[in-house]
Every structure is written in structure tokens, then in C-alpha cells.
Coordinates of all heavy atoms in Angstrom, one line a residue:
M8 N 6.2 -16.9 2.9 CA 5.4 -15.9 3.7 C 4.1 -15.6 2.9 O 4.2 -15.3 1.7 CB 6.2 -14.6 3.8 CG 5.5 -13.6 4.6 SD 6.5 -12.1 4.8 CE 6.0 -11.1 3.4
T9 N 3.0 -15.7 3.5 CA 1.7 -15.4 2.9 C 0.9 -14.5 3.8 O 0.9 -14.7 5.0 CB 0.9 -16.7 2.7 OG1 1.8 -17.6 1.9 CG2 -0.3 -16.4 1.9
I10 N 0.3 -13.5 3.2 CA -0.5 -12.6 3.9 C -1.9 -13.3 4.2 O -2.5 -13.7 3.3 CB -0.8 -11.3 3.1 CG1 0.6 -10.6 2.9 CG2 -1.8 -10.4 3.8 CD1 0.5 -9.4 2.0
Q11 N -2.2 -13.4 5.5 CA -3.5 -14.0 5.9 C -4.6 -13.0 6.1 O -5.8 -13.3 5.9 CB -3.3 -14.8 7.2 CG -2.3 -15.9 7.1 CD -2.7 -17.0 6.2 OE1 -3.9 -17.3 6.2 NE2 -1.8 -17.5 5.4
A12 N -4.2 -11.8 6.5 CA -5.2 -10.7 6.7 C -4.5 -9.4 6.7 O -3.3 -9.3 6.9 CB -5.8 -11.0 8.1
I13 N -5.3 -8.3 6.5 CA -4.7 -7.0 6.6 C -5.6 -6.2 7.5 O -6.8 -6.5 7.6 CB -4.6 -6.3 5.2 CG1 -6.0 -6.3 4.5 CG2 -3.5 -6.9 4.4 CD1 -5.9 -5.5 3.2
S14 N -5.0 -5.3 8.2 CA -5.8 -4.5 9.2 C -5.4 -3.0 9.1 O -4.2 -2.7 9.2 CB -5.5 -5.0 10.6 OG -6.2 -4.3 11.6
N15 N -6.3 -2.2 8.8 CA -6.0 -0.8 8.6 C -6.1 0.0 9.9 O -7.0 -0.2 10.7 CB -7.0 -0.2 7.6 CG -6.6 1.2 7.2 OD1 -5.4 1.6 7.2 ND2 -7.5 2.0 6.7
H16 N -5.1 0.8 10.2 CA -5.1 1.6 11.4 C -5.0 3.1 11.0 O -4.0 3.7 11.0 CB -3.9 1.2 12.3 CG -3.9 -0.2 12.7 ND1 -4.8 -0.7 13.6 CD2 -3.2 -1.2 12.2 CE1 -4.5 -2.0 13.7 NE2 -3.6 -2.4 12.9
P17 N -6.2 3.7 10.8 CA -6.2 5.1 10.2 C -5.5 6.1 11.2 O -4.9 7.0 10.7 CB -7.7 5.4 10.1 CG -8.4 4.1 10.0 CD -7.5 3.2 10.8
K18 N -5.8 6.0 12.5 CA -5.2 6.9 13.4 C -3.7 6.9 13.4 O -3.0 7.9 13.6 CB -5.7 6.7 14.8 CG -7.1 7.1 15.0 CD -7.6 6.9 16.5 CE -9.1 7.3 16.6 NZ -9.6 6.8 17.9
L19 N -3.1 5.7 13.2 CA -1.7 5.5 13.2 C -1.1 5.8 11.8 O 0.1 6.0 11.6 CB -1.3 4.1 13.6 CG -1.7 3.8 15.1 CD1 -1.4 2.3 15.3 CD2 -0.9 4.6 16.1
G20 N -2.0 5.7 10.8 CA -1.6 5.9 9.4 C -0.8 4.6 8.9 O 0.2 4.8 8.2
T21 N -1.2 3.5 9.4 CA -0.5 2.3 9.1 C -1.4 1.2 8.6 O -2.6 1.1 9.0 CB 0.3 1.7 10.3 OG1 -0.5 1.4 11.3 CG2 1.4 2.7 10.7
L22 N -0.9 0.3 7.8 CA -1.6 -0.9 7.4 C -0.8 -2.1 7.9 O 0.4 -2.2 7.6 CB -1.7 -1.0 5.9 CG -2.5 -2.2 5.3 CD1 -4.0 -2.1 5.6 CD2 -2.2 -2.4 3.8
E23 N -1.5 -3.0 8.7 CA -0.8 -4.1 9.3 C -1.1 -5.3 8.4 O -2.2 -5.6 8.0 CB -1.3 -4.4 10.7 CG -0.6 -5.5 11.4 CD -1.2 -5.7 12.8 OE1 -2.2 -5.0 13.2 OE2 -0.7 -6.6 13.5
L24 N 0.0 -6.1 8.0 CA -0.2 -7.3 7.3 C 0.1 -8.4 8.3 O 1.1 -8.5 8.9 CB 0.9 -7.4 6.2 CG 1.1 -6.2 5.3 CD1 2.2 -6.4 4.3 CD2 -0.2 -5.8 4.5
V25 N -0.9 -9.3 8.4 CA -0.8 -10.5 9.3 C -0.4 -11.6 8.4 O -1.1 -12.0 7.4 CB -2.1 -10.8 10.0 CG1 -1.9 -12.0 10.9 CG2 -2.5 -9.5 10.8
L26 N 0.7 -12.2 8.7 CA 1.3 -13.3 7.9 C 1.0 -14.6 8.5 O 0.6 -14.8 9.7 CB 2.8 -13.1 7.9 CG 3.3 -11.7 7.5 CD1 4.8 -11.6 7.6 CD2 2.8 -11.3 6.2
D27 N 1.1 -15.7 7.7 CA 0.9 -17.0 8.2 C 2.0 -17.2 9.3 O 3.1 -16.8 9.3 CB 1.1 -18.1 7.1 CG 2.3 -17.9 6.3 OD1 3.1 -17.0 6.5 OD2 2.5 -18.7 5.3
G28 N 1.6 -18.0 10.3 CA 2.4 -18.1 11.5 C 2.2 -17.1 12.5 O 2.7 -17.2 13.6
G29 N 1.4 -16.0 12.2 CA 1.0 -15.1 13.2 C 1.9 -13.8 13.3 O 1.6 -12.9 14.0
A30 N 3.0 -13.8 12.5 CA 3.8 -12.6 12.5 C 3.1 -11.5 11.8 O 2.2 -11.8 11.0 CB 5.2 -12.9 11.8
S31 N 3.5 -10.3 12.0 CA 2.9 -9.2 11.2 C 4.0 -8.2 10.8 O 5.1 -8.1 11.4 CB 1.9 -8.5 12.1 OG 2.4 -7.8 13.1
R32 N 3.7 -7.5 9.8 CA 4.5 -6.4 9.3 C 3.6 -5.1 9.1 O 2.4 -5.3 8.9 CB 5.1 -6.7 7.9 CG 5.9 -8.0 7.9 CD 7.4 -7.6 7.7 NE 8.3 -8.7 7.9 CZ 8.5 -9.7 7.0 NH1 8.0 -9.6 5.8 NH2 9.3 -10.7 7.3
T33 N 4.2 -4.0 9.2 CA 3.5 -2.8 9.2 C 4.0 -1.8 8.2 O 5.2 -1.6 8.1 CB 3.5 -2.1 10.6 OG1 3.0 -2.9 11.6 CG2 2.8 -0.8 10.6
L34 N 3.2 -1.4 7.3 CA 3.5 -0.4 6.3 C 2.8 0.9 6.5 O 1.6 0.9 6.9 CB 3.1 -0.9 4.9 CG 4.0 -2.0 4.3 CD1 3.2 -2.7 3.1 CD2 5.3 -1.5 3.9
T35 N 3.4 2.0 6.3 CA 2.7 3.3 6.5 C 1.9 3.6 5.3 O 2.2 3.1 4.2 CB 3.7 4.5 6.7 OG1 4.4 4.7 5.5 CG2 4.7 4.2 7.9
H36 N 0.8 4.4 5.5 CA 0.0 4.8 4.4 C 0.8 5.5 3.4 O 0.6 5.4 2.1 CB -1.2 5.6 4.9 CG -2.2 4.8 5.7 ND1 -3.2 5.4 6.4 CD2 -2.2 3.4 6.0 CE1 -3.9 4.4 7.0 NE2 -3.3 3.2 6.8
A37 N 1.7 6.4 3.8 CA 2.5 7.1 2.9 C 3.4 6.2 2.0 O 3.6 6.5 0.8 CB 3.4 8.1 3.7
A38 N 4.0 5.2 2.6 CA 4.8 4.3 1.9 C 4.0 3.5 0.8 O 4.4 3.3 -0.3 CB 5.5 3.3 2.8
L39 N 2.7 3.2 1.2 CA 1.9 2.5 0.2 C 1.5 3.5 -0.9 O 1.5 3.1 -2.1 CB 0.6 2.1 0.9 CG 0.7 0.9 1.9 CD1 -0.5 0.8 2.8 CD2 0.9 -0.4 1.1
R40 N 1.2 4.7 -0.6 CA 0.9 5.7 -1.6 C 2.1 5.9 -2.5 O 2.0 5.9 -3.8 CB 0.5 7.0 -1.0 CG 0.1 8.1 -2.0 CD -1.1 7.8 -2.8 NE -1.4 8.8 -3.7 CZ -0.8 8.9 -5.0 NH1 0.0 7.9 -5.4 NH2 -1.1 9.8 -5.8
D41 N 3.3 6.0 -1.9 CA 4.5 6.2 -2.7 C 4.7 5.0 -3.6 O 5.3 5.1 -4.7 CB 5.7 6.4 -1.8 CG 5.8 7.7 -1.2 OD1 5.0 8.6 -1.5 OD2 6.6 7.9 -0.3
G42 N 4.3 3.8 -3.2 CA 4.5 2.6 -3.9 C 3.5 2.3 -5.0 O 3.5 1.2 -5.6
C43 N 2.5 3.2 -5.2 CA 1.5 2.9 -6.2 C 2.1 2.7 -7.5 O 3.0 3.4 -8.0 CB 0.5 4.2 -6.3 SG -0.8 3.9 -7.4
R44 N 1.5 1.6 -8.2 CA 2.1 1.2 -9.5 C 1.1 1.5 -10.6 O 1.3 0.9 -11.7 CB 2.4 -0.3 -9.5 CG 3.5 -0.6 -8.4 CD 4.1 -1.9 -8.7 NE 3.1 -3.0 -8.7 CZ 3.4 -4.3 -8.8 NH1 4.7 -4.7 -9.0 NH2 2.5 -5.2 -8.8
C45 N 0.2 2.4 -10.4 CA -0.7 2.7 -11.5 C 0.1 3.4 -12.6 O 1.2 3.8 -12.4 CB -1.9 3.6 -11.1 SG -1.5 5.3 -10.9
A46 N -0.6 3.6 -13.8 CA 0.1 4.1 -15.0 C 0.7 5.5 -14.7 O 1.8 5.9 -15.0 CB -0.8 4.1 -16.2
D47 N -0.2 6.4 -14.0 CA 0.2 7.7 -13.7 C 1.5 7.8 -12.8 O 2.4 8.5 -13.0 CB -0.9 8.5 -13.1 CG -2.0 8.8 -14.0 OD1 -1.8 8.6 -15.3 OD2 -3.1 9.2 -13.6
C48 N 1.4 7.0 -11.7 CA 2.5 7.0 -10.7 C 3.8 6.4 -11.3 O 4.9 6.9 -11.1 CB 2.1 6.3 -9.5 SG 0.8 7.2 -8.6
T49 N 3.6 5.4 -12.2 CA 4.7 4.8 -12.8 C 5.4 5.8 -13.8 O 6.6 5.9 -13.8 CB 4.3 3.5 -13.6 OG1 3.8 2.6 -12.6 CG2 5.5 2.9 -14.3
A50 N 4.6 6.6 -14.5 CA 5.1 7.6 -15.4 C 5.9 8.6 -14.6 O 7.0 9.1 -15.0 CB 4.0 8.2 -16.2
L51 N 5.4 9.1 -13.5 CA 6.1 10.1 -12.6 C 7.4 9.5 -12.2 O 8.5 10.2 -12.2 CB 5.3 10.4 -11.4 CG 4.0 11.3 -11.7 CD1 3.2 11.5 -10.4 CD2 4.5 12.7 -12.2
R52 N 7.4 8.2 -11.8 CA 8.6 7.6 -11.3 C 9.7 7.5 -12.4 O 10.9 7.8 -12.2 CB 8.3 6.2 -10.8 CG 9.1 5.7 -9.6 CD 8.6 4.4 -9.0 NE 7.4 4.7 -8.2 CZ 6.2 4.2 -8.4 NH1 6.0 3.3 -9.3 NH2 5.2 4.5 -7.6
R53 N 9.2 7.1 -13.6 CA 10.1 7.0 -14.8 C 10.7 8.4 -15.1 O 11.8 8.5 -15.6 CB 9.4 6.4 -16.0 CG 9.1 4.9 -15.7 CD 9.0 4.2 -17.1 NE 8.8 2.8 -16.8 CZ 7.7 2.1 -17.2 NH1 6.8 2.7 -18.0 NH2 7.6 0.8 -17.0
A54 N 9.9 9.4 -14.9 CA 10.3 10.8 -15.2 C 11.3 11.3 -14.2 O 11.8 12.4 -14.3 CB 9.1 11.7 -15.4
G55 N 11.5 10.5 -13.1 CA 12.4 11.0 -12.0 C 11.7 11.9 -11.1 O 12.4 12.6 -10.3
T56 N 10.4 12.0 -11.1 CA 9.7 12.9 -10.2 C 8.6 12.1 -9.5 O 7.4 12.5 -9.6 CB 9.1 14.1 -10.9 OG1 8.2 13.6 -12.0 CG2 10.1 15.0 -11.6
P57 N 9.0 11.1 -8.7 CA 8.0 10.3 -8.1 C 7.3 11.1 -7.0 O 7.8 12.0 -6.4 CB 8.8 9.2 -7.4 CG 10.2 9.8 -7.3 CD 10.4 10.7 -8.4
L58 N 6.0 10.7 -6.8 CA 5.3 11.3 -5.7 C 5.9 11.0 -4.4 O 6.4 9.9 -4.2 CB 3.8 10.8 -5.8 CG 3.0 11.4 -4.6 CD1 1.9 12.3 -5.2 CD2 2.4 10.3 -3.8
Q59 N 6.0 11.9 -3.5 CA 6.4 11.6 -2.2 C 5.3 12.1 -1.2 O 5.2 13.3 -0.9 CB 7.8 12.3 -1.9 CG 8.9 11.7 -2.7 CD 10.2 12.3 -2.4 OE1 10.4 13.5 -2.6 NE2 11.1 11.5 -1.9
A60 N 4.5 11.2 -0.8 CA 3.4 11.5 0.1 C 3.9 11.9 1.4 O 4.9 11.4 1.9 CB 2.5 10.3 0.2
D61 N 3.2 12.9 2.0 CA 3.6 13.3 3.4 C 2.9 12.4 4.4 O 2.0 11.6 4.0 CB 3.3 14.8 3.6 CG 1.9 15.1 3.7 OD1 1.0 14.3 4.1 OD2 1.5 16.2 3.3
G62 N 3.3 12.5 5.6 CA 2.8 11.5 6.6 C 1.4 11.7 7.0 O 0.8 10.8 7.6
A63 N 0.7 12.8 6.5 CA -0.7 13.0 6.8 C -1.6 12.2 5.9 O -2.8 12.1 6.1 CB -1.0 14.5 6.7
I64 N -1.0 11.6 4.8 CA -1.9 10.9 3.9 C -2.5 9.7 4.6 O -1.9 9.1 5.4 CB -1.2 10.6 2.6 CG1 -2.2 10.2 1.5 CG2 -0.2 9.4 2.8 CD1 -1.7 10.4 0.1
R65 N -3.7 9.4 4.2 CA -4.4 8.3 4.8 C -5.0 7.4 3.8 O -5.5 7.8 2.7 CB -5.5 8.7 5.8 CG -5.0 9.3 7.1 CD -4.2 8.3 7.9 NE -3.6 8.8 9.1 CZ -2.4 9.3 9.2 NH1 -1.6 9.3 8.2 NH2 -1.9 9.7 10.4
L66 N -5.0 6.1 4.1 CA -5.7 5.1 3.3 C -7.2 5.1 3.8 O -7.4 4.8 5.0 CB -5.0 3.8 3.6 CG -5.6 2.5 3.0 CD1 -5.7 2.6 1.5 CD2 -4.7 1.3 3.4
L67 N -8.1 5.4 2.9 CA -9.5 5.5 3.2 C -10.3 4.3 3.0 O -11.3 4.1 3.7 CB -10.1 6.7 2.5 CG -9.5 8.1 2.6 CD1 -10.3 9.1 1.8 CD2 -9.5 8.5 4.1
A68 N -9.9 3.5 2.0 CA -10.7 2.3 1.7 C -9.8 1.3 1.1 O -8.8 1.6 0.4 CB -11.9 2.7 0.8
I69 N -10.2 0.0 1.3 CA -9.5 -1.1 0.7 C -10.6 -2.0 0.0 O -11.5 -2.4 0.7 CB -8.9 -1.9 1.9 CG1 -7.9 -1.1 2.7 CG2 -8.2 -3.2 1.3 CD1 -7.4 -1.7 3.9
E70 N -10.4 -2.1 -1.3 CA -11.4 -2.9 -2.1 C -10.7 -4.2 -2.5 O -9.6 -4.1 -3.1 CB -11.8 -2.1 -3.3 CG -12.2 -0.7 -3.0 CD -13.6 -0.5 -2.4 OE1 -14.3 -1.6 -2.4 OE2 -14.0 0.6 -2.0
A71 N -11.4 -5.3 -2.3 CA -10.8 -6.6 -2.8 C -10.8 -6.6 -4.3 O -11.7 -6.1 -5.0 CB -11.6 -7.7 -2.3
V72 N -9.7 -7.1 -4.9 CA -9.6 -7.4 -6.3 C -9.5 -8.9 -6.5 O -8.5 -9.4 -6.7 CB -8.4 -6.6 -6.9 CG1 -8.4 -6.8 -8.5 CG2 -8.5 -5.1 -6.6
G73 N -10.7 -9.5 -6.5 CA -10.7 -11.0 -6.6 C -9.8 -11.6 -5.5 O -9.8 -11.1 -4.4
A74 N -9.1 -12.6 -5.9 CA -8.1 -13.2 -4.9 C -6.8 -12.7 -5.2 O -5.8 -13.1 -4.6 CB -8.1 -14.7 -5.1
Y75 N -6.7 -11.7 -6.0 CA -5.4 -11.2 -6.6 C -4.7 -10.2 -5.6 O -3.5 -10.2 -5.5 CB -5.7 -10.5 -7.9 CG -4.6 -9.9 -8.6 CD1 -3.6 -10.6 -9.2 CD2 -4.5 -8.5 -8.7 CE1 -2.5 -10.0 -9.9 CE2 -3.5 -7.9 -9.4 CZ -2.5 -8.7 -10.0 OH -1.5 -8.0 -10.7
G76 N -5.5 -9.4 -5.0 CA -4.9 -8.3 -4.1 C -6.0 -7.3 -3.7 O -7.2 -7.7 -3.6
V77 N -5.6 -6.1 -3.6 CA -6.5 -5.1 -3.1 C -6.3 -3.8 -4.0 O -5.2 -3.5 -4.4 CB -6.4 -4.7 -1.6 CG1 -6.9 -5.9 -0.8 CG2 -4.9 -4.4 -1.3
Q78 N -7.3 -3.0 -4.1 CA -7.3 -1.7 -4.6 C -7.4 -0.7 -3.4 O -8.3 -0.8 -2.6 CB -8.4 -1.4 -5.6 CG -8.4 0.0 -6.2 CD -9.4 0.1 -7.3 OE1 -10.2 -0.8 -7.5 NE2 -9.4 1.2 -8.0
L79 N -6.4 0.2 -3.4 CA -6.4 1.1 -2.2 C -6.8 2.5 -2.6 O -6.5 3.0 -3.7 CB -5.0 1.2 -1.7 CG -4.4 -0.1 -1.2 CD1 -3.0 0.1 -0.6 CD2 -5.3 -0.9 -0.2
V80 N -7.7 3.1 -1.8 CA -8.2 4.5 -2.0 C -7.5 5.4 -0.9 O -7.7 5.1 0.3 CB -9.7 4.5 -1.9 CG1 -10.2 5.9 -2.1 CG2 -10.3 3.5 -2.8
F81 N -6.9 6.5 -1.4 CA -6.1 7.3 -0.5 C -6.8 8.7 -0.3 O -7.7 9.1 -1.1 CB -4.7 7.6 -1.0 CG -3.9 6.3 -1.0 CD1 -3.8 5.5 -2.1 CD2 -3.2 6.0 0.2 CE1 -3.0 4.3 -2.0 CE2 -2.4 4.8 0.2 CZ -2.3 4.0 -0.9
S82 N -6.4 9.4 0.7 CA -7.1 10.6 1.1 C -6.8 11.8 0.1 O -7.4 12.8 0.1 CB -6.7 11.1 2.5 OG -5.3 11.2 2.6
D83 N -5.8 11.6 -0.8 CA -5.6 12.5 -1.9 C -6.5 12.2 -3.1 O -6.2 12.7 -4.2 CB -4.1 12.6 -2.3 CG -3.6 11.3 -2.9 OD1 -4.3 10.3 -2.9 OD2 -2.4 11.3 -3.3
R84 N -7.5 11.3 -2.9 CA -8.5 10.9 -3.9 C -7.9 10.0 -4.9 O -8.5 9.7 -6.0 CB -9.1 12.1 -4.6 CG -9.8 13.0 -3.6 CD -10.5 14.1 -4.3 NE -11.5 14.7 -3.5 CZ -12.6 15.2 -4.0 NH1 -12.9 15.3 -5.3 NH2 -13.5 15.8 -3.2
H85 N -6.6 9.5 -4.7 CA -6.0 8.6 -5.7 C -6.5 7.2 -5.4 O -6.4 6.7 -4.3 CB -4.5 8.7 -5.5 CG -3.8 8.0 -6.7 ND1 -3.8 8.6 -7.9 CD2 -3.1 6.9 -6.8 CE1 -3.1 7.8 -8.8 NE2 -2.6 6.8 -8.1
D86 N -7.1 6.6 -6.4 CA -7.7 5.2 -6.2 C -7.4 4.3 -7.3 O -8.2 3.3 -7.5 CB -9.2 5.4 -6.0 CG -9.9 5.9 -7.2 OD1 -9.3 6.3 -8.2 OD2 -11.2 6.1 -7.2
R87 N -6.4 4.5 -8.1 CA -6.1 3.7 -9.2 C -5.1 2.6 -9.0 O -4.9 1.8 -9.9 CB -5.6 4.6 -10.4 CG -6.6 5.7 -10.8 CD -6.2 6.4 -12.0 NE -5.9 5.5 -13.1 CZ -5.2 5.9 -14.2 NH1 -4.6 7.0 -14.3 NH2 -5.0 5.0 -15.2
G88 N -4.5 2.6 -7.8 CA -3.5 1.6 -7.6 C -4.0 0.3 -7.2 O -4.8 0.2 -6.3
I89 N -3.6 -0.8 -7.9 CA -3.9 -2.1 -7.5 C -2.6 -2.7 -6.9 O -1.5 -2.6 -7.4 CB -4.2 -3.0 -8.8 CG1 -5.4 -2.3 -9.6 CG2 -4.5 -4.4 -8.4 CD1 -6.7 -2.4 -8.9
Y90 N -2.8 -3.3 -5.7 CA -1.7 -3.9 -5.0 C -1.9 -5.4 -4.8 O -2.6 -5.8 -4.0 CB -1.6 -3.2 -3.6 CG -1.3 -1.7 -3.6 CD1 -2.2 -0.8 -4.1 CD2 -0.1 -1.3 -3.1 CE1 -1.9 0.5 -4.1 CE2 0.2 0.1 -3.1 CZ -0.7 1.0 -3.6 OH -0.4 2.3 -3.7
P91 N -1.2 -6.1 -5.7 CA -1.3 -7.6 -5.6 C -0.7 -8.0 -4.2 O 0.2 -7.3 -3.7 CB -0.5 -8.1 -6.7 CG -0.4 -7.0 -7.7 CD -0.4 -5.7 -6.9
W92 N -1.2 -9.1 -3.7 CA -0.6 -9.6 -2.4 C 0.9 -9.7 -2.5 O 1.6 -9.3 -1.5 CB -1.2 -11.0 -2.1 CG -2.7 -10.9 -1.9 CD1 -3.7 -11.7 -2.5 CD2 -3.5 -10.1 -0.9 NE1 -4.9 -11.3 -2.1 CE2 -4.8 -10.4 -1.1 CE3 -3.1 -9.2 0.0 CZ2 -5.9 -9.8 -0.4 CZ3 -4.1 -8.5 0.8 CH2 -5.5 -8.9 0.6
I93 N 1.4 -10.2 -3.6 CA 2.8 -10.4 -3.7 C 3.6 -9.1 -3.6 O 4.7 -9.0 -3.1 CB 3.2 -11.2 -5.0 CG1 4.7 -11.5 -5.0 CG2 2.8 -10.5 -6.2 CD1 5.1 -12.6 -4.0
Y94 N 3.0 -8.0 -4.2 CA 3.6 -6.7 -4.1 C 3.6 -6.2 -2.7 O 4.6 -5.6 -2.3 CB 2.9 -5.8 -5.1 CG 3.5 -4.4 -5.1 CD1 4.9 -4.3 -5.4 CD2 2.8 -3.3 -4.9 CE1 5.5 -3.0 -5.4 CE2 3.4 -2.0 -4.9 CZ 4.7 -1.9 -5.2 OH 5.3 -0.6 -5.2
L95 N 2.5 -6.4 -2.0 CA 2.5 -5.9 -0.6 C 3.6 -6.7 0.2 O 4.2 -6.1 1.1 CB 1.1 -6.2 0.1 CG 0.0 -5.3 -0.4 CD1 -1.3 -5.7 0.2 CD2 0.3 -3.8 0.0
E96 N 3.7 -7.9 -0.1 CA 4.8 -8.7 0.6 C 6.2 -8.1 0.2 O 7.0 -7.9 1.1 CB 4.8 -10.2 0.2 CG 3.6 -10.9 0.7 CD 3.6 -12.4 0.3 OE1 4.7 -12.9 -0.1 OE2 2.6 -13.0 0.3
Q97 N 6.3 -7.8 -1.0 CA 7.6 -7.2 -1.4 C 7.9 -5.9 -0.8 O 9.0 -5.6 -0.3 CB 7.6 -7.0 -3.0 CG 7.8 -8.3 -3.7 CD 7.5 -8.1 -5.2 OE1 7.1 -7.1 -5.7 NE2 7.5 -9.3 -5.9
L98 N 6.8 -5.0 -0.7 CA 7.0 -3.7 0.0 C 7.4 -3.9 1.5 O 8.2 -3.2 2.0 CB 5.7 -2.9 -0.1 CG 5.4 -2.1 -1.3 CD1 4.0 -1.4 -1.2 CD2 6.5 -1.1 -1.6
S99 N 6.7 -4.9 2.1 CA 7.0 -5.1 3.5 C 8.4 -5.7 3.7 O 8.9 -5.6 4.9 CB 5.9 -6.1 4.1 OG 6.2 -7.4 3.7
N100 N 9.0 -6.2 2.7 CA 10.4 -6.7 2.8 C 11.4 -5.7 2.3 O 12.6 -5.9 2.3 CB 10.5 -8.0 2.0 CG 9.9 -9.1 2.7 OD1 9.9 -9.2 3.9 ND2 9.3 -10.0 1.9
S101 N 11.0 -4.5 1.8 CA 11.9 -3.7 1.1 C 12.5 -2.5 1.9 O 13.2 -1.7 1.4 CB 11.1 -3.0 -0.1 OG 10.2 -2.1 0.4
G102 N 12.2 -2.6 3.2 CA 12.8 -1.5 4.0 C 11.9 -0.4 4.2 O 12.1 0.5 5.0
T103 N 10.7 -0.4 3.5 CA 9.7 0.6 3.8 C 8.8 0.2 5.0 O 8.1 1.0 5.5 CB 8.8 0.9 2.6 OG1 8.2 -0.3 2.2 CG2 9.6 1.4 1.4
A104 N 8.9 -1.0 5.4 CA 8.1 -1.5 6.5 C 8.7 -0.9 7.8 O 9.9 -0.6 8.0 CB 8.1 -3.0 6.6
L105 N 7.8 -0.6 8.7 CA 8.2 -0.1 10.0 C 8.8 -1.3 10.8 O 8.4 -2.4 10.6 CB 7.0 0.4 10.8 CG 6.4 1.7 10.2 CD1 5.2 2.1 11.0 CD2 7.3 2.8 10.1
P106 N 9.8 -1.0 11.7 CA 10.3 -2.1 12.5 C 9.3 -2.7 13.4 O 8.3 -2.0 13.8 CB 11.5 -1.4 13.3 CG 11.2 0.0 13.2 CD 10.4 0.3 12.0
Ligands
LIG222 ZN1 -1.0 5.7 -8.7

């Protein structure tokens, strides 16, 4: 499975991953925010107090990080999370994806 394209849907609060073969998976912005792996968010998770974004959070911007993945900017001003393509694939397979 390889991500061919991503499509942000701010009104729905979802990010659609278009896979090779034309299938797609959908992740909520809140699930993406919860899944941030920056140092701060990782520390909170290790401390047992992970951030739990509410459904109103929105993904405001998507910045390419070379061919490696994307950096996501959220409406809570958090912009430190780098999301490699492989990690987005893992998230979409982890049960956080919408049916
Ligand atoms: Zn973070």
C-alpha cells in the first residue's frame, strides 16, 4: 500500500489518503493531532497524559518534507509534528481511520 495523494477536507475535519489502486482511507484531524510524534507530544504520551484533541480541531496546512512525508499545522497552533508517509499508512491501519 502506497499513498499516492492526500486531500484535506476542512469542513469534515478529515484527511483523505488516496492509495495506489484508487482505494482511499480517511483519518480525522483529531486522530492526526493525537498521533503527533514530536518531542513534546511524545513526552506527554510517555507521562501517561497524552493530548486528546477534540473534534473541533482542524488541520490548517500541510507542508511537504522532501519525499519523506508531511509536516502538519493544526488549529491549536501546533506545527511541530512530522508525519512520514509510512506513519500515515500505519495510522490509517490502526483503527483510528474512519470506516
Ligand atoms: Zn506534537
Side-chain angles (χ1 to χ4, degrees):
M8 184 179 90
T9 306
I10 296 173
Q11 298 293 323
I13 56 177
S14 180
N15 190 23
H16 301 285
K18 286 183 183 166
L19 298 173
T21 59
L22 183 72
E23 182 182 4
L24 313 177
V25 180
L26 311 175
D27 50 1
S31 69
R32 300 250 171 84
T33 300
L34 290 164
T35 66
H36 292 173
L39 288 163
R40 179 66 182 87
D41 287 349
C43 180
R44 299 197 302 182
C45 79
D47 289 346
C48 294
T49 298
L51 287 173
R52 211 170 285 124
R53 289 205 178 123
T56 55
L58 180 114
Q59 292 183 297
D61 68 35
I64 197 155
R65 286 296 176 267
L66 175 57
L67 299 182
I69 302 169
E70 313 282 352
V72 182
Y75 176 73
V77 287
Q78 181 174 5
L79 301 182
V80 180
F81 292 94
S82 57
D83 63 355
R84 301 179 161 215
H85 196 69
D86 63 358
R87 297 186 59 199
I89 305 290
Y90 295 70
W92 298 121
I93 185 71
Y94 182 55
L95 287 175
E96 290 181 19
Q97 288 167 359
L98 276 178
S99 76
N100 286 322
S101 69
T103 59
L105 297 177

